[in-house]
Amino acid sequence: MYLKTTIFTIIAWFIGLILDANIPFGDPMGFLGLRNLFPILAMGLCILHEVKNGSGKR
């Protein structure tokens, strides 16, 4: 569980970083914040998947 979550979170961060750097978005910052959003979504989806499947039950 932990390895899968870590790998998906790191991959999501890299995808967000690449998209954030390549999508022009304007003057003030120029960033959409995807490098923060995607890892949070990946972590949340992994947690929800584990809760749904019940692998954390004792």
Side-chain angles (χ1 to χ4, degrees):
M1 172 184 142
Y2 295 116
L3 181 63
K4 179 180 77 168
T5 304
T6 304
I7 290 172
F8 282 143
T9 303
I10 292 172
I11 289 171
W13 182 79
F14 276 115
I15 291 171
L17 180 67
I18 290 170
L19 289 176
D20 214 14
N22 290 321
I23 297 175
F25 190 69
D27 284 334
M29 289 284 287
F31 300 116
L32 293 172
L34 298 176
R35 69 182 99 174
N36 296 327
L37 177 68
F38 286 168
I40 292 170
L41 288 175
M43 180 68 71
L45 289 174
C46 287
I47 291 171
L48 288 174
H49 182 266
E50 292 298 321
V51 168
K52 178 183 172 191
N53 289 340
S55 64
K57 290 183 181 176
R58 295 178 189 210

